[in-house]
C-alpha cells in the first residue's frame, strides 16, 4: 500500500493507529485455486473465509450450527403471541477501536449504516453511585484523567492511598511485553497492589475483567491492562460503542454470507466436522457425517471446547507439543442470558444498555427496543418492552432456575417499574464456551501459525501479540490466518490495523520507564502479588513460566 493510500485508509480511525501491511504478492490466485476448509463460522472463520475467497481461493466453510456468527449468532423463534423473533446469546458492543471487525462488516455495509451508536456507557452501583463515559475526553491521557476527575468512584481521600509506582504499567502498555510483565498476576491482585478505590474497582475496572466472562481473581492482569490501553490510553475512540440496528443475522451475517457466495465460497451450516487429518500425499482429509473431503489447507476457527475436541479426534494433526497445548486450553465459567418480553414499557429514561455492580449476579441490563428494530416494532405494537439480563462468571454448579429467578429479582431492584410488568414470554441461554485467559496462561496459548504451513488457527482464544481483544481479536486472528496461507501461495493478504502498540504519550512512557520493574517498587506491592518474583514459585505459578493456572 502506497503512503497516500495508507493516509486515505486512516480516515475514520485514530490518526496514530498502527497499520500492518501483509507480505508482498499477487493480487489474486492464478491457475488452479487451492481448496481450503474453514472450520467454524463465527467472526474468526468468516474473516478468514472472506480474505481467502476475495483473492480467488476455493473456500468451503463448515459450521456445526444451523446459523453463522458463532457467539454473535442469532436464530429464529416464535413467541407465545405468534410473533416471529430472533434470539441470540446476548448483547455485544461494537467498539470503534474494532478496526478489523468493522472492516469485515464494511464489505456489505460500506458506511456501517447497520450500526448505530448508543449515547453513553452508563454504570450503576447498588449503593446509588452512577458513572458513565459520555462526557469523558477521548484524547489520551485526558481520557483517563478526565474519567478519574469526573467519576464519583474516585473520591479525593481514596486517591491519596493509590500507589503511583504500582500503577506505572498502565502508562506504557506494549504487546507482547505486557504479558511478560503482568501475566503472572491476577487482575484482582493487580488492582489490590495499586490500591485502587474499592468503588472504582467494582464500578469501572471489573467491567474489563467481566468482559472476558471471568472472575477478576482468575483473569490475567495483562489482559485487563491491555483493555485499559485499548480504551483509555492507547486510542482516542474511548468507551462509546455501536450496536446493530437489527438482529445479528439480518444486520451482519446474512449479507456477509451473500458476499462470500458471490466470491465462490461454499457455506455449509449444520455440518459438524468429525476429524481433520493430514492426507498421505499432502493436504488434509476433512471428515463429516456425509463423507470425506480433501482440502489443500485448513483454518481451524473453533471455540475452546470445539478445538480441543476436534484435535483429540484428529490423529496425526499437529505435533505432540501443539496437541498438548490445545488440550490444556480452558473455558471461562458459565454465563446466563435472560431475555424477557414484558407487557408494559420500562421508564422512558432507561438507557439502551446499563452496566451494573452490586446487584448480585446481574452484570448488565439491555432495553432492546431502544436500538434494535425488531424489538422496537414488537414494543410499539404491544406497548411492552424487550429486556435482556446478563450474569457472567457463575459457579459451575449453579442451578439455572435459581439464577433466572435471581436475575429477575435484581431487575426489579434496578428498574422498580418492572415489578408491575407481566412476562409475556422469555428465552434463556446458559453457556460456558468462552475462552479463559488465566493467570500465567499466555505462553501456553497457541499462535495463528502451526508447524504445518497449511494448518492455521483463528479465534479469540489465539495468541496474536497485537493490542486487540474480544470480537476484534477474533476478526484480526481470522485475517492473520488467511494472510499466513496467502503468503505461502504468493498472494498479498489483508491489511490490518490496531490501536498503537505502545503508550501514546512520551511523557507517560518516560514515567513508566522510571518506575523500573512493574509492581515491584515496594515490599507491600511485592507481598500483594502472589506468584510474583518474590513469591514461592516465581513467574508463571508452580509449574513454571507460561503454564496455565490450576
Amino acid at each position: 500500500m502506497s503512503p497516500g493510500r495508507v493516509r486515505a485508509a486512516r480516515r475514520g480511525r485514530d490518526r496514530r493507529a498502527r497499520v500492518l501491511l501483509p507480505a508482498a504478492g499477487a493480487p489474486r490466485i492464478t491457475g488452479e485455486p487451492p481448496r481450503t476448509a474453514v472450520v467454524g463460522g463465527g467472526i474468526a472463520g468468516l474473516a478468514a473465509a472472506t480474505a481467502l475467497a476475495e483473492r480467488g481461493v476455493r473456500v468451503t466453510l463448515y459450521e456445526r450450527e444451523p446459523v453463522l456468527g458463532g457467539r454473535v449468532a442469532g436464530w429464529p423463534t416464535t413467541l407465545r403471541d405468534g410473533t416471529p423473533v430472533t434470539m441470540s446469546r446476548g448483547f455485544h458492543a461494537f467498539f470503534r477501536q474494532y478496526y478489523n471487525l468493522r472492516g469485515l462488516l464494511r464489505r456489505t455495509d460500506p458506511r456501517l449504516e447497520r450500526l448505530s451508536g448508543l449515547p453513553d456507557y452508563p454504570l450503576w452501583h447498588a449503593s446509588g453511585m452512577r458513572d458513565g463515559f459520555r462526557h469523558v475526553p477521548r484524547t489520551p491521557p485526558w481520557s483517563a484523567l478526565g474519567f478519574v476527575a469526573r467519576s464519583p468512584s474516585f473520591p479525593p481521600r481514596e486517591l491519596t492511598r493509590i500507589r503511583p509506582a504500582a500503577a506505572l504499567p498502565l502508562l506504557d502498555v506494549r504487546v507482547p511485553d505486557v504479558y511478560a510483565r503482568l501475566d503472572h498476576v491476577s487482575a484482582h491482585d493487580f488492582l489490590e497492589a495499586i490500591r485502587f478505590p474499592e468503588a472504582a474497582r467494582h464500578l469501572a475496572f471489573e467491567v474489563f475483567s467481566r468482559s472476558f466472562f471471568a472472575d477478576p481473581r482468575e483473569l490475567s492482569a495483562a489482559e485487563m491492562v491491555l483493555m485499559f490501553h485499548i480504551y483509555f490510553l492507547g486510542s482516542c475512540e474511548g468507551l462509546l460503542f455501536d450496536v446493530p440496528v437489527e438482529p445479528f443475522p439480518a444486520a451482519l451475517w446474512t449479507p456477509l454470507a451473500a458476499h462470500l457466495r458471490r466470491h465462490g465460497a461454499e457455506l455449509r451450516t449444520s455440518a459438524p466436522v468429525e476429524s481433520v487429518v493430514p492426507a498421505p500425499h499432502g493436504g488434509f482429509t476433512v471428515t463429516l457425517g456425509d463423507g470425506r473431503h480433501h482440502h489443500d489447507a485448513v483454518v481451524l476457527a473453533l471455540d475452546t471446547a470445539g478445538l480441543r475436541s476436534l484435535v483429540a479426534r484428529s490423529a496425526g494433526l499437529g505435533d505432540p507439543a501443539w496437541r498438548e497445548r490445545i488440550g490444556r486450553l480452558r473455558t471461562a465459567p458459565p454465563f446466563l442470558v435472560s431475555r424477557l418480553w414484558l407487557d408494559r414499557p420500562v421508564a422512558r429514561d432507561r438507557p439502551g444498555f446499563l452496566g451494573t455492580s452490586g446487584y448480585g449476579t446481574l452484570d448488565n441490563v439491555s432495553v432492546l427496543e431502544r436500538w434494535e428494530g425488531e424489538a422496537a416494532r414488537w414494543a410499539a405494537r404491544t406497548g411492552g418492552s424487550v429486556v435482556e439480563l446478563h450474569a457472567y462468571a457463575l459457579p459451575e454448579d449453579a442451578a439455572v432456575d435459581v439464577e433466572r429467578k435471581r436475575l429477575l429479582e435484581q431487575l426489579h431492584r434496578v428498574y422498580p417499574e418492572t415489578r408491575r410488568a407481566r412476562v409475556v414470554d422469555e428465552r434463556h441461554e446458559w453457556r460456558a464456551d468462552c475462552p479463559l485467559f488465566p493467570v500465567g496462561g499466555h505462553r501456553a496459548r497457541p499462535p495463528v501459525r502451526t508447524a504445518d504451513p497449511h494448518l492455521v488457527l483463528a479465534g479469540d482464544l489465539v495468541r496474536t501479540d497485537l493490542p486487540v481483544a474480544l470480537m476484534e481479536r477474533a476478526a484480526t486472528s481470522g485475517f492473520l490466518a488467511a494472510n499466513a496461507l496467502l503468503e505461502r501461495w504468493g498472494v498479498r493478504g489483508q491489511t490490518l490495523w490496531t490501536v498503537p502498540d505502545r503508550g501514546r504519550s512520551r511523557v507517560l512512557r518516560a514515567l513508566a520507564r522510571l518506575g523500573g520493574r512493574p509492581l515491584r517498587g515496594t515490599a507491600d506491592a511485592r507481598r500483594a502479588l502472589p506468584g510474583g518474583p518474590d513469591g514461592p514459585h516465581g513467574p508463571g505459578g508452580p509449574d513454571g513460566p507460561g503454564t496455565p493456572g490450576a
Side-chain angles (χ1 to χ4, degrees):
M1 182 180 291
S2 68
R5 290 181 65 191
V6 169
R7 285 194 297 271
R10 284 187 188 274
R11 295 170 187 165
R13 298 182 180 89
D14 186 327
R15 62 186 178 86
R16 296 191 186 181
R18 179 188 176 197
V19 59
L20 293 90
L21 298 175
R28 286 179 59 84
I29 292 286
T30 56
E32 180 67 19
R35 292 164 292 181
T36 299
V38 177
V39 185
I43 289 175
L46 290 168
T50 298
L52 293 168
E54 289 175 343
R55 288 156 180 82
V57 177
R58 186 180 299 171
V59 172
T60 302
L61 185 147
Y62 300 101
E63 167 55 46
R64 69 185 176 191
E65 300 295 333
V67 293
L68 298 174
R71 295 200 296 274
V72 196
W75 54 92
T77 186
T78 302
L79 301 182
R80 286 195 288 264
D81 67 3
T83 305
V85 297
T86 307
M87 184 55 188
S88 73
R89 296 159 49 97
F91 179 90
H92 281 76
F94 289 71
F95 286 96
R96 291 159 194 175
Q97 298 92 335
Y98 289 179
Y99 306 137
N100 299 315
L101 174 59
R102 293 163 83 90
L104 176 66
L105 301 180
R106 287 183 192 275
R107 262 61 174 200
T108 64
D109 185 12
R111 299 176 63 183
L112 296 181
E113 293 173 325
R114 293 195 289 268
L115 296 180
S116 178
L118 293 187
D120 197 3
Y121 188 160
L123 306 172
W124 287 11
H125 193 276
S127 65
M129 189 177 299
R130 299 188 178 188
D131 220 330
F133 298 94
R134 181 178 183 179
H135 299 294
V136 173
R138 298 185 195 174
T139 303
W142 309 115
S143 48
L145 295 175
F147 179 68
V148 170
R150 297 181 60 92
S151 174
S153 63
F154 286 93
R157 182 180 60 197
E158 293 288 331
L159 286 175
T160 62
R161 298 183 62 251
I162 290 179
R163 291 187 177 119
L168 290 175
L170 296 170
L171 305 182
D172 187 18
V173 176
R174 304 188 185 203
V175 181
D177 178 65
V178 66
Y179 293 100
R181 302 171 77 192
L182 293 175
D183 196 46
H184 65 283
V185 183
S186 75
H188 172 270
D189 289 343
F190 177 78
L191 295 177
E192 283 281 329
I194 297 175
R195 289 182 178 170
F196 259 99
E198 189 75 15
R201 196 178 310 173
H202 292 299
L203 195 59
F205 276 82
E206 285 192 9
V207 168
F208 297 130
S209 63
R210 299 185 77 81
S211 295
F212 289 98
F213 301 86
D215 186 284
R217 291 171 178 79
E218 284 207 68
L219 178 69
S220 164
E223 291 291 346
M224 188 195 68
V225 170
L226 178 62
M227 296 279 278
F228 183 89
H229 170 77
I230 291 171
Y231 298 114
F232 274 116
L233 288 179
S235 71
C236 67
E237 285 90 356
L239 264 168
L240 299 182
F241 53 81
D242 301 320
V243 291
V245 298
E246 292 292 343
F248 299 137
L252 310 176
W253 312 133
T254 299
L256 188 61
H259 174 80
L260 281 164
R261 291 189 179 99
R262 285 194 296 272
H263 285 276
E266 180 184 2
L267 308 182
R268 297 190 56 184
T269 54
S270 299
V273 172
E274 296 177 1
S275 66
V276 176
V277 298
H281 303 292
F284 301 87
T285 299
V286 177
T287 302
L288 288 81
D290 65 353
R292 299 178 177 181
H293 308 269
H294 182 268
H295 294 277
D296 301 303
V298 171
V299 180
L300 298 181
L302 299 159
D303 62 27
T304 302
L307 180 61
R308 282 200 315 255
S309 177
L310 179 61
V311 170
R313 298 192 307 267
S314 301
L317 187 67
D319 57 41
W322 180 82
R323 293 176 65 86
E324 181 182 2
R325 178 180 286 190
I326 298 299
R328 297 180 70 182
L329 292 173
R330 297 170 59 191
T331 54
F335 65 94
L336 173 64
V337 174
S338 291
R339 187 175 295 185
L340 311 174
W341 285 261
L342 306 179
D343 71 345
R344 63 188 64 196
V346 299
R348 295 181 63 183
D349 61 346
R350 301 309 189 192
F353 177 83
L354 172 69
T356 60
S357 182
Y359 291 95
T361 57
L362 180 67
D363 283 295
N364 55 62
V365 181
S366 300
V367 181
L368 271 69
E369 70 264 20
R370 298 285 189 266
W371 43 271
E372 186 194 88
E374 180 181 275
R377 291 187 289 273
W378 185 88
R381 180 172 59 82
T382 64
S385 273
V386 186
V387 177
E388 185 177 278
L389 315 174
H390 287 200
Y392 303 143
L394 294 170
E396 299 285 348
D397 59 352
V400 180
D401 290 345
V402 172
E403 295 302 332
R404 290 178 184 176
K405 182 179 179 181
R406 286 175 177 167
L407 283 188
L408 183 59
E409 291 170 350
Q410 297 306 317
L411 171 64
H412 294 163
R413 288 182 63 197
V414 178
Y415 294 163
E417 69 273 17
T418 60
R419 294 180 186 274
R420 303 186 303 273
R422 180 176 63 88
V423 177
V424 174
D425 211 338
E426 57 193 300
R427 296 291 185 275
H428 305 276
E429 290 293 318
W430 177 272
R431 304 282 182 136
D433 53 5
C434 297
L436 179 66
F437 304 113
V439 177
H442 177 257
R443 290 186 184 178
R445 279 157 53 190
V448 168
R449 296 174 187 260
T450 72
D452 186 330
H454 293 106
L455 174 69
V456 290
L457 300 183
D460 57 349
L461 61 84
V462 172
R463 191 178 76 206
T464 65
D465 291 343
L466 295 172
V468 290
L470 304 172
M471 289 192 293
E472 178 69 351
R473 182 179 287 161
T476 302
S477 68
F479 285 131
L480 287 171
N483 285 0
L485 297 177
L486 293 168
E487 180 181 352
R488 186 77 179 172
W489 298 323
V491 177
R492 186 180 182 87
Q494 173 75 35
T495 297
L496 299 176
W497 300 82
T498 73
V499 301
D501 58 357
R502 63 184 61 194
R504 295 166 62 99
S505 166
R506 291 182 180 180
V507 174
L508 296 184
R509 291 201 302 267
L511 282 174
R513 288 195 297 271
L514 286 175
R517 293 179 298 177
L519 301 181
R520 302 174 190 179
T522 68
D524 288 342
R526 287 195 295 270
R527 284 195 294 269
L529 299 173
D534 293 342
H537 305 295
D543 296 323
T547 303

